[in-house]
Amino acid sequence: NAGVTQTPKFQVLKTGQSMTLQCAQDMNHNSMYWYRQDPGMGLRLIYYSASEGTTDKGEVPNGYNVSRLNKREFSLRLESAAPSQTSVYFCASRTGLNEQFFGPGTRLTVL
Amino acid sequence: QKEVEQNSGPLSVPEGAIASLNCTYSDRVSQSFFWYRQYSGKSPELIMSIYSNGDKEDGRFTAQLNKASQYVSLLIRDSQPSDSATYLCAVGPGGADGLTFGKGTHLIIQP
C-alpha cells in the first residue's frame, strides 16, 4: 500500500516549456487534489477532482490544466511554464471524513 | 475569501513541556478541522482531525475546537525534539472542496 505517489520528484524547466506532473493513489479514494506550496504563502489549492470524470478550479488555477485519467490517477499539466510557477507541488487524496493524505511532492524550478 | 490564521513563530518550548498551537478561521460554515505536521523538505502529515466542539485526544496530542469562537488549537504534551517541525492548521467544508490551510507555525523543542 503505497498511498499517494508523485512523479517526478524534481524538475527544472525553461520558461515556455511544458510538462505533466503525475499523481496516483491506491486507497480507492474518490476525490483528489493538487496544491502548490510557496514560502510565506502556505498551501494553495490549484485544482481538484471530486470524483472520476469531474474537475474543478481551486484558488490558483491560472496556467494549469488537469486530467482525471481514472479513479487512481490525477495529472497536472503546465502548458507554458513561467518562473512564477516555481514551487513545490503536492497531490492529495481524500477520505470520506475529509481527511487528506499527501504525496511526497514535486519540486519544480522554472528558469 | 476563506482565511486560516496562525502565528508563524518560531515557538520555542523546552523539552518535556506542553506546546500550544493556535489557529482561527473565517468561514463559519466550516465542518472539518485538521492539524498537519510538516518537516523541512517533506510533505504534510496528518496528525489530528476534529469535527465537533470540545477536545479530542490521541496519545500526546490534543485538538480543541470552538466553533462559536472559530478557534482550533493543538496541544502537544511531553514535547520531544522530534516534535520540532512546522504545524499546519487546515479547515474544510463538509463536501469534497479542498482544504484551506494556514501558513503554519514553526515549533522548536529545545533539549
Side-chain angles (χ1 to χ4, degrees), chain A residues 31 33 35 37 40 43 45 48 50 59 90 94 97-103 107, chain B residues 1 32 34 36 38 41 43-44 46 49 51 88 93 95-99 101 103:
Chain A
S31 303
Y33 304 81
Y35 293 88
Q37 187 173 36
L43 279 156
L45 182 65
Y48 67 101
E59 181 186 354
F90 290 106
R94 168 187 174 267
L97 293 175
N98 209 18
E99 297 171 324
Q100 294 192 13
F101 294 93
F102 286 80
R107 283 148 183 81
Chain B
Q1 181 78 3
S32 51
F34 308 93
Y36 286 82
Q38 187 174 27
S43 59
L46 180 66
S49 311
Y51 304 94
L88 306 175
D97 293 357
L99 300 179
F101 284 82
K103 295 178 182 179

Coordinates of all heavy atoms in Angstrom, one line a residue, chain A residues 31 33 35 37 40 43 45 48 50 59 90 94 97-103 107, chain B residues 1 32 34 36 38 41 43-44 46 49 51 88 93 95-99 101 103:
Chain A
S31 N -11.9 11.4 -4.3 CA -11.5 12.8 -4.5 C -10.0 13.0 -4.5 O -9.3 12.4 -3.6 CB -12.1 13.8 -3.5 OG -13.5 13.6 -3.5
Y33 N -6.6 16.0 -5.3 CA -6.3 17.4 -5.2 C -4.9 17.7 -5.6 O -4.0 16.9 -5.4 CB -6.5 17.9 -3.8 CG -7.9 17.7 -3.2 CD1 -8.2 16.4 -2.7 CD2 -8.9 18.6 -3.2 CE1 -9.4 16.1 -2.2 CE2 -10.1 18.3 -2.7 CZ -10.4 17.1 -2.2 OH -11.7 16.8 -1.8
Y35 N -2.1 20.9 -4.9 CA -1.8 22.1 -4.2 C -0.4 22.5 -4.6 O 0.4 21.7 -5.0 CB -1.8 21.8 -2.7 CG -3.1 21.5 -2.0 CD1 -3.5 20.2 -1.9 CD2 -3.9 22.5 -1.4 CE1 -4.7 19.9 -1.3 CE2 -5.1 22.2 -0.8 CZ -5.5 20.9 -0.8 OH -6.7 20.6 -0.2
Q37 N 2.9 24.9 -2.8 CA 3.3 25.4 -1.6 C 4.5 26.4 -1.9 O 5.5 25.9 -2.4 CB 3.8 24.4 -0.6 CG 4.1 24.9 0.8 CD 4.3 23.8 1.8 OE1 4.9 22.8 1.5 NE2 3.9 24.0 3.1
G40 N 6.1 31.5 2.6 CA 5.3 32.7 3.1 C 3.8 32.7 2.6 O 3.1 33.5 2.9
L43 N 0.0 26.5 1.7 CA -0.5 25.6 0.7 C -1.8 26.2 0.0 O -2.7 26.6 0.7 CB -0.9 24.2 1.3 CG 0.2 23.2 1.6 CD1 -0.2 22.3 2.7 CD2 0.5 22.5 0.3
L45 N -4.8 25.6 -3.1 CA -5.4 24.7 -4.0 C -5.4 25.2 -5.4 O -5.8 26.3 -5.7 CB -6.8 24.4 -3.5 CG -7.7 23.4 -4.3 CD1 -7.1 22.0 -4.1 CD2 -9.1 23.5 -3.8
Y48 N -9.1 20.5 -8.2 CA -9.4 19.2 -7.6 C -10.4 18.5 -8.4 O -11.0 19.0 -9.4 CB -10.0 19.5 -6.2 CG -11.3 20.2 -6.1 CD1 -12.5 19.5 -5.9 CD2 -11.3 21.6 -6.2 CE1 -13.7 20.2 -5.7 CE2 -12.5 22.3 -6.1 CZ -13.7 21.5 -5.8 OH -14.9 22.2 -5.7
A50 N -13.5 15.9 -7.6 CA -14.4 15.4 -6.5 C -14.7 13.9 -6.8 O -14.8 13.1 -5.8 CB -15.7 16.1 -6.4
E59 N -8.1 27.8 -5.9 CA -7.8 29.2 -5.6 C -6.9 29.8 -6.7 O -7.0 30.9 -7.0 CB -7.2 29.3 -4.2 CG -6.8 30.7 -3.8 CD -6.0 30.7 -2.5 OE1 -5.9 29.6 -1.9 OE2 -5.5 31.8 -2.1
F90 N 2.1 19.5 -4.5 CA 1.6 18.3 -3.7 C 0.3 17.8 -4.3 O -0.6 18.6 -4.5 CB 1.5 18.6 -2.2 CG 2.8 18.8 -1.5 CD1 3.1 20.1 -1.1 CD2 3.6 17.8 -1.2 CE1 4.3 20.3 -0.4 CE2 4.8 18.0 -0.5 CZ 5.1 19.3 -0.1
R94 N -8.5 12.1 -0.7 CA -9.4 12.4 0.5 C -10.3 11.2 0.9 O -10.8 10.5 0.1 CB -10.3 13.6 0.1 CG -11.5 13.9 1.0 CD -12.4 14.9 0.3 NE -13.6 15.1 1.1 CZ -14.7 14.5 0.8 NH1 -14.8 13.6 -0.1 NH2 -15.8 14.8 1.6
L97 N -14.1 11.1 5.5 CA -14.2 12.1 6.6 C -13.5 13.4 6.3 O -13.2 14.2 7.2 CB -13.5 11.5 7.9 CG -14.3 10.3 8.5 CD1 -13.5 9.7 9.6 CD2 -15.7 10.7 8.9
N98 N -13.2 13.6 5.0 CA -12.5 14.8 4.5 C -11.0 14.9 4.9 O -10.4 15.9 4.8 CB -13.2 16.1 4.9 CG -13.0 17.2 4.0 OD1 -12.6 17.0 2.8 ND2 -13.3 18.4 4.4
E99 N -10.5 13.8 5.4 CA -9.0 13.8 5.7 C -8.3 13.7 4.4 O -8.6 12.8 3.6 CB -8.7 12.6 6.6 CG -9.3 12.7 8.0 CD -9.1 11.4 8.8 OE1 -9.2 10.3 8.2 OE2 -9.0 11.5 10.0
Q100 N -7.3 14.5 4.2 CA -6.5 14.4 3.0 C -5.1 13.9 3.3 O -4.4 14.4 4.3 CB -6.4 15.8 2.4 CG -7.8 16.3 1.9 CD -7.7 17.5 1.0 OE1 -6.7 17.9 0.5 NE2 -8.9 18.0 0.7
F101 N -4.6 13.0 2.5 CA -3.3 12.4 2.6 C -2.5 12.8 1.4 O -2.9 12.8 0.2 CB -3.4 10.9 2.7 CG -4.1 10.5 4.0 CD1 -5.4 10.3 4.0 CD2 -3.4 10.4 5.2 CE1 -6.1 9.9 5.2 CE2 -4.0 10.0 6.3 CZ -5.4 9.8 6.3
F102 N -1.3 13.3 1.7 CA -0.4 13.9 0.6 C 0.7 13.0 0.1 O 1.2 12.1 0.8 CB 0.3 15.1 1.2 CG -0.7 16.3 1.4 CD1 -1.5 16.4 2.5 CD2 -0.7 17.3 0.5 CE1 -2.4 17.4 2.7 CE2 -1.6 18.4 0.6 CZ -2.4 18.5 1.7
G103 N 1.0 13.2 -1.2 CA 2.1 12.6 -1.8 C 3.4 13.3 -1.4 O 3.4 14.3 -0.6
R107 N 9.3 19.1 -6.7 CA 10.0 20.4 -6.6 C 10.3 20.9 -8.0 O 11.2 20.3 -8.6 CB 11.2 20.3 -5.7 CG 10.8 20.2 -4.2 CD 11.7 19.4 -3.4 NE 11.2 19.3 -2.0 CZ 10.3 18.5 -1.6 NH1 9.7 17.7 -2.4 NH2 9.9 18.5 -0.3
Chain B
Q1 N -13.5 35.3 0.7 CA -12.2 34.6 0.8 C -12.0 33.9 2.1 O -12.0 34.6 3.1 CB -11.1 35.7 0.6 CG -9.7 35.1 0.6 CD -9.3 34.5 -0.7 OE1 -10.0 34.5 -1.7 NE2 -8.1 33.9 -0.8
S32 N -14.9 20.7 9.1 CA -13.8 19.7 9.4 C -12.5 20.5 9.6 O -12.3 21.5 8.9 CB -13.7 18.7 8.3 OG -13.5 19.3 7.0
F34 N -8.3 20.2 10.8 CA -7.1 19.3 10.8 C -5.9 20.0 11.3 O -5.7 21.2 11.0 CB -6.9 18.7 9.4 CG -8.2 18.1 8.8 CD1 -9.0 18.9 8.0 CD2 -8.6 16.8 9.1 CE1 -10.2 18.3 7.5 CE2 -9.7 16.3 8.6 CZ -10.5 17.0 7.8
Y36 N -1.8 19.3 10.6 CA -0.7 18.6 9.9 C 0.6 19.0 10.4 O 0.8 20.1 10.8 CB -0.8 18.9 8.4 CG -1.9 18.3 7.6 CD1 -3.2 18.9 7.6 CD2 -1.7 17.1 6.9 CE1 -4.2 18.3 6.9 CE2 -2.8 16.6 6.2 CZ -4.0 17.2 6.2 OH -5.1 16.6 5.5
Q38 N 4.7 19.1 9.3 CA 5.5 19.1 8.1 C 6.9 19.4 8.5 O 7.3 20.4 9.0 CB 5.0 20.2 7.1 CG 5.8 20.1 5.8 CD 5.2 21.0 4.7 OE1 4.7 22.1 5.0 NE2 5.4 20.7 3.4
G41 N 11.4 20.1 4.0 CA 11.6 19.3 2.8 C 10.7 18.1 2.6 O 10.9 17.3 1.6
S43 N 6.5 16.3 2.9 CA 5.1 16.6 2.7 C 4.4 16.7 4.0 O 4.8 16.1 5.0 CB 4.5 15.5 1.8 OG 4.6 14.3 2.4
P44 N 3.2 17.4 4.0 CA 2.4 17.4 5.3 C 1.9 16.1 5.7 O 1.5 15.3 4.8 CB 1.2 18.3 4.8 CG 1.8 19.1 3.7 CD 2.7 18.2 3.0
L46 N -0.8 14.2 8.3 CA -2.0 14.4 9.1 C -1.7 13.8 10.5 O -1.4 12.6 10.7 CB -3.2 13.7 8.5 CG -4.5 13.8 9.3 CD1 -5.0 15.3 9.3 CD2 -5.6 13.0 8.6
S49 N -7.5 15.1 13.5 CA -8.8 15.6 12.9 C -9.8 15.8 14.0 O -9.8 15.1 14.9 CB -9.3 14.5 11.9 OG -8.3 14.0 11.1
Y51 N -14.0 17.3 14.5 CA -15.2 17.7 13.7 C -16.3 18.4 14.6 O -17.2 19.0 14.0 CB -15.8 16.5 13.0 CG -14.9 15.8 12.1 CD1 -14.1 14.7 12.6 CD2 -14.7 16.2 10.8 CE1 -13.2 14.0 11.8 CE2 -13.8 15.5 10.0 CZ -13.0 14.4 10.5 OH -12.2 13.8 9.7
L88 N 0.7 22.8 10.5 CA -0.3 23.5 9.6 C -1.7 23.2 10.1 O -2.1 22.0 10.3 CB -0.2 23.0 8.2 CG 1.2 23.0 7.5 CD1 1.2 22.3 6.2 CD2 1.7 24.4 7.4
P93 N -14.8 22.2 4.3 CA -16.3 22.2 4.3 C -16.7 20.7 4.5 O -15.9 19.9 4.7 CB -16.6 22.6 2.8 CG -15.4 22.1 2.0 CD -14.2 22.2 2.9
G95 N -18.1 18.9 2.2 CA -18.0 18.2 1.0 C -16.6 18.0 0.5 O -15.7 18.1 1.2
A96 N -16.5 17.9 -0.9 CA -15.2 17.5 -1.5 C -14.4 18.7 -1.9 O -13.3 18.5 -2.4 CB -15.5 16.6 -2.7
D97 N -14.8 19.9 -1.6 CA -13.9 21.1 -1.9 C -12.6 20.9 -1.1 O -12.6 20.3 0.0 CB -14.6 22.4 -1.5 CG -15.8 22.7 -2.3 OD1 -16.1 21.9 -3.3 OD2 -16.5 23.7 -2.1
G98 N -11.6 21.6 -1.6 CA -10.3 21.4 -1.0 C -10.2 22.1 0.4 O -11.1 22.9 0.8
L99 N -9.2 21.8 1.1 CA -8.9 22.4 2.4 C -8.3 23.8 2.3 O -7.6 24.0 1.3 CB -8.0 21.5 3.3 CG -8.5 20.1 3.5 CD1 -7.5 19.3 4.3 CD2 -9.8 20.1 4.3
F101 N -5.6 26.1 4.1 CA -4.5 26.0 5.1 C -4.0 27.3 5.6 O -4.0 28.3 4.9 CB -3.3 25.3 4.4 CG -3.5 23.8 4.2 CD1 -4.2 23.3 3.1 CD2 -2.9 22.9 5.1 CE1 -4.3 22.0 2.9 CE2 -3.1 21.6 4.9 CZ -3.8 21.1 3.8
K103 N -0.7 29.3 7.2 CA 0.7 29.4 6.7 C 1.7 28.6 7.6 O 2.8 28.4 7.3 CB 1.2 30.8 6.6 CG 0.4 31.6 5.5 CD 0.9 33.0 5.4 CE 0.0 33.7 4.4 NZ 0.4 35.2 4.2

